[in-house]
Structure formats: C-alpha cells, structure tokens
Amino acid sequence: MMEVSYREEGVASAASSVAGRLVADGVPARLAAGDPTLWGEDAEREAAVRLGWLTLPRYSRELLPVLGGLAERARAAGLTNVVLAGMGGSSLAAEVICATADVPLTVLDTTDPGQVRRALAEQLDATVVVVAGKSGATVETDSLLRIYERLFTDAGLPPADRVVVVTDPGSPLEKRAVEAGYDLVLAQPDVGGRFSALSAFGLVPGALAGADVARLLDEAGEVLPLLSRDTGNPGLDLGAALGGAALAGRDKLLLEDQLSAITGLPDWIEQLVAESTGKQGRGILPVVGADPNESGDELVVAIETDVGDVRVDGPLGAQFLVWEYATALAGLLLEINPFDQPNVTESKENTAALLALPDLPAGAPAFVDGPVEVYGAVTARDLPGLFAELLNAIPADGYLSIMAFLDRMAAFDAPVPDGADFEQMTDAWMMADPATLRALLALRTNRPVTFGWGPRLLHSTGQYHKGGPQNGVFLQITGAVAEDVPVPGRPYTLGRLQLAQALGDLGALETRGRPAVRLHLTDRAAGVARLLAAAQEA
C-alpha cells in the first residue's frame, strides 16, 4: 500500500497548514472527481481536457487484451528487440516500467547521430519499433520513424510488420499509421503527455518488452479510492508537502532513490514536476542525483529510502498515480495551471526557423581550450576559469543547469582495462561521461546543479528553465558529429537537427536574459575528458 510520511518538523507543519486549507475547500474529493474549476478560470478550459489520468487505472484495463495480442504476435515473429521512439511523457514512464521490471527496452528520445546509429545496428531482424506521440508531429519522433521506415524497407523487412504506433485519436500520426498498415493503439485523448504513465504510452512499450503491465494497473487501482479522502490520502499528503514546502521557500526538490527497488523514477518525476509547475516565474525545481547541501531551500523526498524530509513508499503503479495527483495539487497551491507548457513551443519554433537557414549561425567562440570551443559573453579565458565564473554567477536562491546535447549512452563505450573489476569499469565510464561534470561542479558550490540530456530536456525541465524563476545559470554542451544520419524526406540530417535544437533553446534562454554559455566539443571524447579535468581544477 502507498504511504507518505513526514520526517522533518518544518515540512510536517507546512504540509499540515496547506492540507487544512485544501480539505476545507473540498479539494481532495473535487480533484478525484475531475473538477476542472480547481485551478481558476484561466486554466479551466485546459484542465477540462487534461484530467483523464484519474480514470486510467480502470480505463486502461480495456487495453490489456490488445496489449497481450501485440506481445504474443511479436514473440511469435521473433521480435524481441523493442525500440521506443518518443519524447518526454511518451518515453520516460515506459523507461521506468521496463527498468524496474528488468526487461530490455531501447529508448530513442534523442536526435544524436551516434546514439541513433548504435540502435539502428542492433538486431534489425528482431526489431519492433514503437512510435509514440500524442500528435506524431514532434520533429524527433517524425525523424526517427522516417529513418526506421527506410532502414526496414532497404533490408527487405516490411515496416508494417515491425512498427507499432501509439497516438491520440484524430492525430496526424493516426492517419499515417492507418495508411501504412501499422499496428495502432489509440490513447485516451484527455491525458497530457507527462500524466500518461498508465495510458497506452507507458503500457504498450512495457507489454512488448515483457513487463507485467496489468500489475501496474492493479497497484494504481488499489490507491485510487484513497484519493478522494480528507485523511489517509497519500496524494494529499505528498501534494501538501511539495506545495507547502515551496510556499515556505523550499522549492528545490531533491529526489533520492538509491535503495529503492523502483529504477529511474526520479527522471520521470523530474519531467512531471518541472514541466507542470515551472511557469509564471514560479515553480518547483527537481534535482536528480544530488546530495543535500543544507542551503535552506531544499526539500529531500526519498523513494522507499530512509533518508530525507519526506518518505514515499509504494509500488510503481501507485507511485505514478500519487505523484500525478500531488503535482496537480502543488500547481493549485502555487496558483499556476499544471497542465499547460507555454514555453516548450518557443524552442521548437526557434529550431524550425534555424533549420530553414542555409547555415546554422554558430558564431565565433569567445575562446578555445584544447578540444573545447566556448561561446557566450564570458570574461574567463580557460575552462577552469569559466567554471569558476559560472558558479560565482549563481544567485543566492538559484541553480546551475548543465544541458548536454550528446550521446547519453556513449560513456558505456569507453575503453576499459583488460581484467578490470566492477569498480574499475565504473571509474572508466564515469570519466567518459559528461554527467560526471554535474557531480564535480556540485562539489564547488552550495547551490543545486542539475543535469539534463538534450533534446529530451526540451520536453521536461526546459519549461522550468524558461518559465520558472529567473535564477538559473545555464551551461550547454554540444559536440561535433563524426558520422551523421540523414533523415529521409527531410532537408536535414540528425546532426544538423540536434545542433539547431541546442541553438534554438539557447536563444530562448538568452532572450529572457538568463546567463547561458555553450561549450562545443570539436572532438567528443577528448572534449569530455578536458571538461572533467578542468572542473577538478576550477
């Protein structure tokens, strides 16, 4: 059963105060019943078509026979290599479901040519591709579908036998799937992407990969009746903690799951909370993989782990539903609409405008440090000095965000000494992993340092970066492409698209006056090594 417990007096006091107000206004029962008026007049129209997630534990059970048939046909055809092409809410939940169930799933939520090429080379004869998106118009999803269609056709493998589409009714992707003869599973249209964990978007890839998706619905179904209660309601308890703490100035949400049997849940929570609350200059900033620094504005929430200010216990299906409910409540307390994402479109439009140009306007670097070019208004003249400059620029209530438009799996291809033990292998991977930069810079500041992979971050924390408080400092990393991937039917390659996405997002940040620097690795492996060495020198 699901349980939320407060482990710190200040959190308990703040949560009790706001929970009392919510109960007095009848909010728990109204939210559980899907009342779209809760978030005010301006949000009512959006909320009216975005509360279907509350019914998914029951509604999605109707999908189980369809999912069973899909999985059975795939196994019979020997299609055991499941690839998911989708962004944000269309991929993150499925990744958690499969990682927790320990079943293999390749998630392509990227435009990085190296990462995509690696997936394309894996067991093509045994590959089934799930193409997931509410509309299918997202540039990453469209590009990946085009690439796989061409690859299957060139190999003499009919795409209609190997592509499964998950989308909303009436979407352009539905029309495309019908015309191409693809297996098609329609999702519930009144569910936003980041609230869709228990919909077809989470369940179809999970079922194909071998996860027990019926169990997830059982787990969510058990907690569902509790969400209308004024007491003993884990969604209310968690939402009051998140919103109450944020109102009291503790708006940095540190997520801890090191001892949990659930794998990767903080990455899903990060998108849910950041994209739902980061707007109108307000929001809650999720911080994944960081140690608390006792700065006074942190709330540490532990998933099935005996640390932190709040502990959240429960199976994965229940966790999904309770975090969604709690996030909706937090938005109510912060007086924002948790169901829109007004600043996500801006970066997409910037990307489209850049792709229409003959050449991408990269500009001239401020300085070059070995295999790293530095772009931006900086006074430093080497990387250690730059890192010190950026850390010093973080406001007293702010954060540093590292955004890497690179191959997030490349570190696992790093050379490992023959006969190395697990610890030596881990060390080798860490020193080839751009994400290690977050930990090294975090040692040198008492402010939160976040890390995100582009372009997936554009569909999650990107909303918070642009719509949340004006207190972020941004470090973007791009890299030269050694071997590109053309996008069939489009006048660009994945490498060009990836760089345009990075530059488009950088432009959106700079337009808002948010300090932002781009580091371009002219040699990716050497560049990462130089970044990590410089961070230790800073």
Side-chain angles (χ1 to χ4, degrees), residues 390 399-401 403 465 472-476 509 514-517:
L390 292 174
Y399 65 100
L400 172 66
S401 176
M403 307 171 294
H465 293 163
V473 174
F474 300 93
L475 178 63
Q476 187 186 86
L509 293 168
R514 309 206 169 187
V517 174

Side-chain angles (χ1 to χ4, degrees), residues 29-299:
R30 290 171 62 194
L31 176 52
D35 182 352
T37 67
L38 282 170
W39 298 271
E41 227 175 89
D42 291 343
E44 183 176 348
R45 185 175 178 181
E46 180 92 27
V49 294
R50 286 293 177 262
L51 289 167
W53 51 274
L54 288 159
T55 68
L56 288 176
R58 291 190 294 265
Y59 178 88
S60 289
R61 299 200 71 84
E62 299 175 12
L63 292 175
L64 292 178
V66 174
L67 302 183
L70 277 176
E72 187 176 338
R73 291 197 300 276
R75 284 193 297 270
L79 302 181
T80 55
N81 180 40
V82 183
V83 176
L84 171 58
M87 299 301 299
S90 300
S91 62
L92 286 167
E95 189 167 43
V96 177
I97 290 167
C98 292
T100 299
D102 196 24
V103 294
L105 175 70
T106 298
V107 176
L108 283 183
D109 54 355
T110 184
T111 50
D112 185 82
Q115 190 173 337
V116 172
R117 288 182 68 85
R118 187 183 300 105
L120 297 176
E122 288 291 327
Q123 309 174 64
L124 188 64
D125 289 350
T127 295
V128 57
V129 180
V130 180
V131 180
K134 286 184 69 63
S135 70
T138 303
V139 65
E140 301 95 337
T141 307
D142 173 73
S143 297
L144 291 168
L145 175 54
R146 289 170 176 273
I147 289 166
Y148 266 104
E149 284 175 331
R150 175 67 59 83
L151 185 68
F152 285 141
T153 300
D154 289 350
L157 303 170
D161 297 339
R162 295 168 178 274
V163 175
V164 178
V165 168
V166 183
T167 190
D168 280 1
S171 73
L173 185 55
E174 180 194 12
K175 182 173 184 283
R176 186 170 172 182
V178 170
E179 291 174 350
Y182 298 147
D183 278 317
L184 173 66
V185 182
L186 294 176
Q188 194 166 337
D190 58 347
V191 179
R194 57 188 176 275
F195 287 81
S196 66
L198 296 170
S199 77
F201 288 106
L203 302 184
V204 169
L208 284 170
D212 185 350
V213 295
R215 180 179 175 182
L216 289 172
L217 297 177
D218 291 341
E219 293 164 353
E222 288 180 10
V223 79
L224 184 61
L226 305 180
L227 299 183
S228 61
R229 295 184 181 179
D230 293 342
T231 60
N233 179 341
L236 173 62
D237 294 340
L238 181 56
L242 298 178
L247 290 173
R250 297 173 67 170
D251 60 354
K252 310 300 187 297
L253 173 62
L254 272 66
L255 296 163
E256 171 61 62
D257 73 332
Q258 288 186 23
L259 300 179
S260 174
I262 300 173
T263 303
L265 188 62
D267 288 335
W268 176 81
I269 295 171
E270 179 183 45
Q271 185 213 12
L272 175 70
V273 172
E275 195 171 32
S276 297
T277 71
K279 53 201 76 168
Q280 299 176 28
R282 298 190 287 277
I284 298 170
L285 175 68
V287 185
V288 177
D291 294 324
N293 55 35
E294 300 181 0
S295 59
D297 60 352
E298 297 175 339
L299 176 72

Side-chain angles (χ1 to χ4, degrees), residues 418-465:
D418 291 337
D421 59 22
F422 180 76
E423 185 174 344
Q424 290 171 318
M425 292 169 62
T426 301
D427 287 345
W429 289 332
M430 285 186 64
M431 294 316 295
D433 187 354
T436 303
L437 183 62
R438 189 210 65 77
L440 292 174
L441 293 181
L443 293 172
R444 288 156 176 78
T445 178
N446 66 349
R447 302 307 308 149
V449 180
T450 67
F451 185 93
W453 294 101
R456 68 187 279 174
L457 69 89
L458 302 182
H459 301 265
S460 57
T461 52
Q463 169 61 46
Y464 183 95
H465 293 163

